[in-house]
């Protein structure tokens, strides 16, 4: 009779627990990350009765989750990718908002500046037009610098965002570690209880939250002991042991934070190994949108300033003085790595060739006796033997680098070279006096009234404003027969063969001669002294817009 009661009680107790589990399922119907729990039954061990065995009832063998590990892993991967793309898109939209503003962008203020330039070309002696051109130039510079300030803010925001996300990652990993410890205590002998199922749900929710922040790889060693890997296999969590991530300034660029993995004995930069989650989106945005866009804007400022300065230097101001630079911009930034020994006193300078200037950054490293120059995308561009006491020169398209000789160098010295990064920030206007605007050409050409041929000479252009003889008076006299002409001075009696449409380069200027000459025809190239109303150089400056 007692056996019958025990058998009945076993059924009551088992189904009571099953009903409790059902109630638990119903109560958590709206609980995020909850997995429905299922009760499994099994017969209890029978009781021996003589030569036979009598059944002794039922018992619960397991309370398990309705769970698919493959689906969970796929959800984490998809979630990590979505979080990355969503973060990348939202951050990139900020760049669009800055640069695409039809009123506050670069294009409108450039148009205003070249309109002011054309106004000076229309009336080169007007002091008000000249003053307006300088004022508009200052507005253009302010616009570039405003963009640079905005980019500074965006860069700092990325640093803050990465730092905050890393703190969240560490907090989530610590929470997963605590769940693992709790599971180890509960699941003695590997048995899974209803309570441990809830903990497993909680751990899965934490893993999902972690995958939103960073791409992870989860290795299930046992139900209560998982390993979480990041990057190229760095262990973030191994059962009950957690490792930390941290941020620190990039040794090659203190304005940018990198992500480091704090292992047992070393600290490694894993920034470029993190390709998913919000953190991966921020890194991707910084590397492939923010920095290239900023460098591109800097390149625009540098090329614009250099091109305008070259043409402006070809002119002459109202004081009759040859023109100089209208704008100024700093040379490429050279940043020593913070890891370089304090004894290193090498000075590195760089100049750019705007005709081939790219938007890439570069890394220069002393390896053995050689300097290695790599682009920001890791491509080796040059290997040059160190010059010792002599300067070392490295040249690639768009960039020339000089490393001072006779200086203290150390193995693995490293430098970041950013040719265009500071272009928008350092662009400035040199001129403040309107009279110094070089609107006129420094030379003029004259055809003698006594000429009988129909040769026409062009007004002349400047090809080398540094030529000391640029404004010296030069006379071209056609000989008899008029198949050649003499240039005087400095070469009296020296003849030059004439061909129709020929270009003559001399003393830093160039003129074009076209037509049929007559013996004795004379042409003069001289200083354009007093050319207050001359606008030839300003017209050339205005044409730079196209």
């Amino acid at each position: 009779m007692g056996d019958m009661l025990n058998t009945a009680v076993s059924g009551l107790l088992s189904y009571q627990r099953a009903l409790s589990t059902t109630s638990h399922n119903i109560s958590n119907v709206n609980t995020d990350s909850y997995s429905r729990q299922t009760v499994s039954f099994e017969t209890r061990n029978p009781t021996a009765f003589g030569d036979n065995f009598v059944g002794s009832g039922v018992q619960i063998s397991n309370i398990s989750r309705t769970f698919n590990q493959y689906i969970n892993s796929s959800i984490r991967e998809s979630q990590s990718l979505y979080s990355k793309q969503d973060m990348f898109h939202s951050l990139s939209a900020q760049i669009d908002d800055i640069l695409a503003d039809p009123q506050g962008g670069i294009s409108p203020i450039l148009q205003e500046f070249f309109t002011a330039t054309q106004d000076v070309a229309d009336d080169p002696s007007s002091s008000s037009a000249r003053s307006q051109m300088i004022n508009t130039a200052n507005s253009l510079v302010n616009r570039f610098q405003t963009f640079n300030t905005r980019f500074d803010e965006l860069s700092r925001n990325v640093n803050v965002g990465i730092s905050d996300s890393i703190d969240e990652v560490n907090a989530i990993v610590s929470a997963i570690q605590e769940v693992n410890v709790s599971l180890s205590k509960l699941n003695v002998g590997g048995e899974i209880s209803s309570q441990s199922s809830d903990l497993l749900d909680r751990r899965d929710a934490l893993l999902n939250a972690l995958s939103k922040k960073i791409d992870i790889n989860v290795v299930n060693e046992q139900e209560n002991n998982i390993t979480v890997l990041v990057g190229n296999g760095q262990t973030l969590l191994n059962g009950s042991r957690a490792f930390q991530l941290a941020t620190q300034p990039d040794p090659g660029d203190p304005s940018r934070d990198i992500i480091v993995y704090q292992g047992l004995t070393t600290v490694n930069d894993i920034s470029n190994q993190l390709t998913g989650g919000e953190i991966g989106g921020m890194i991707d945005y910084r590397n492939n949108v923010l920095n290239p866009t900023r460098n591109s804007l800097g390149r625009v400022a540098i090329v614009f300033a250099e091109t305008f300065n070259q043409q402006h230097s070809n002119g002459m101001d109202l004081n009759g003085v040859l023109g100089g630079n209208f704008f100024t911009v700093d040379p490429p930034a050279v940043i020593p790595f913070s890891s370089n020994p304090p004894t290193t006193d090498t000075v590195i300078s760089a100049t750019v060739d705007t005709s081939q200037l790219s938007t890439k950054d570069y890394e220069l490293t002393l390896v053995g006796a050689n300097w290695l120059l790599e682009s920001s995308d890791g491509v080796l561009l040059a290997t040059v033997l160190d010059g010792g006491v002599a300067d070392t020169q490295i040249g690639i398209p768009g960039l020339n680098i000089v490393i001072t000789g006779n200086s203290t160098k150390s193995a693995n010295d490293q430098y970041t070279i950013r040719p265009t990064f500071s272009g928008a920030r350092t662009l400035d206007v040199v001129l403040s006096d309107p009279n110094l605007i070089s609107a006129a050409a420094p030379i003029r050409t004259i055809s003698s009234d006594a000429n009988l041929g129909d040769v026409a000479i062009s007004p002349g252009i400047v090809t080398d404003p540094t030529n000391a003889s640029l404004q010296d008076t030069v006379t071209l006299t056609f000989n008899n027969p008029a198949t050649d002409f003499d240039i005087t001075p400095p070469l009296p009696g020296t003849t030059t063969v004439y061909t129709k449409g020929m270009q003559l380069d001399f003393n830093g200027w160039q003129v074009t001669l076209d037509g049929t000459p007559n013996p004795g025809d004379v042409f003069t190239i001289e200083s354009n002294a007093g050319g207050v109303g001359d606008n030839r150089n300003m017209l050339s400056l205005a044409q730079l817009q196209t």
Side-chain angles (χ1 to χ4, degrees), residues 231-506:
N232 287 344
Q234 289 82 7
T235 302
L236 202 57
L237 177 68
N238 185 8
S240 60
R241 183 165 194 174
F243 296 86
Q244 296 284 299
L245 299 179
T247 59
Q248 66 183 36
D250 187 337
D253 181 7
S255 68
R256 177 177 59 192
D257 284 349
I258 60 174
I259 300 171
V260 294
Y261 172 75
Q262 298 177 322
L264 293 173
T265 58
T266 60
V267 176
N268 300 315
D269 178 10
I270 63 170
S271 301
N272 292 329
Q273 301 172 21
L274 305 178
T275 58
E278 293 177 0
I279 293 175
M282 285 185 276
I283 294 173
D284 191 13
Y285 158 76
R286 182 173 66 184
N287 291 343
N288 297 312
V289 176
L290 178 58
N291 287 345
T293 302
R294 188 170 193 172
N295 285 352
S296 295
L297 183 67
R299 182 181 181 278
V300 170
I302 292 169
V303 173
F304 168 75
E306 180 68 19
T307 304
F308 200 88
N309 285 344
Q310 287 178 354
Q311 185 60 52
H312 190 263
S313 298
N314 289 344
M316 184 178 69
D317 63 26
L318 284 180
N319 300 322
V321 178
L322 292 177
N325 287 341
F326 193 98
F327 295 99
T328 183
V329 66
D330 281 1
V334 180
I335 307 171
F337 270 55
S338 59
S339 55
N340 290 354
T343 55
T344 297
D345 61 1
T346 305
V347 177
I348 298 177
S349 59
T351 56
V352 299
D353 175 5
T354 55
S355 65
Q356 302 182 76
L357 183 60
S358 77
T359 59
K360 292 182 179 180
D361 295 332
Y362 303 91
E363 189 173 298
L364 185 65
T365 308
L366 180 61
V367 179
N370 294 311
W371 288 98
L372 273 58
L373 182 67
E374 293 183 344
S375 61
S376 53
D377 51 6
V379 177
L380 180 63
L381 302 174
T383 301
V384 178
L385 182 67
D386 180 66
V389 296
D391 290 350
T392 304
Q393 297 194 18
I394 303 174
I396 61 172
L399 181 67
N400 295 295
I401 302 168
V402 177
I403 306 166
T404 57
N406 198 25
S407 59
T408 302
K409 307 180 183 76
S410 302
N412 299 314
D413 279 351
Q414 289 181 283
Y415 300 84
T416 298
I417 301 176
R418 311 192 74 177
T420 63
F421 177 78
S422 59
R425 177 177 58 84
T426 61
L427 180 67
D428 204 357
V429 180
V430 176
L431 299 185
S432 58
D433 183 355
N435 290 338
L436 300 184
I437 294 176
S438 301
I443 61 168
R444 60 190 173 205
T445 59
I446 302 173
S447 299
S448 172
D449 293 338
N451 289 351
L452 298 178
D454 62 2
V455 170
I457 185 171
S458 66
I461 60 172
V462 175
T463 57
D464 180 11
T466 64
N467 192 302
S469 302
L470 175 67
Q471 293 181 288
D472 291 352
T473 300
V474 174
T475 301
L476 312 179
T477 305
F478 277 88
N479 297 313
N480 190 6
T483 56
D484 53 41
F485 56 87
D486 291 335
I487 304 175
T488 55
L491 301 173
T494 300
T495 60
T496 300
V497 176
Y498 172 74
T499 57
K500 286 186 177 182
M502 70 177 293
Q503 291 181 337
L504 176 65
D505 290 277
F506 198 74

Side-chain angles (χ1 to χ4, degrees), residues 16-32:
Q16 182 184 41
R17 291 168 184 168
L19 288 172
S20 295
T21 301
T22 301
S23 177
H24 186 57
N25 286 336
I26 295 172
S27 298
N28 286 279
V29 66
N30 292 318
T31 301
D32 290 338

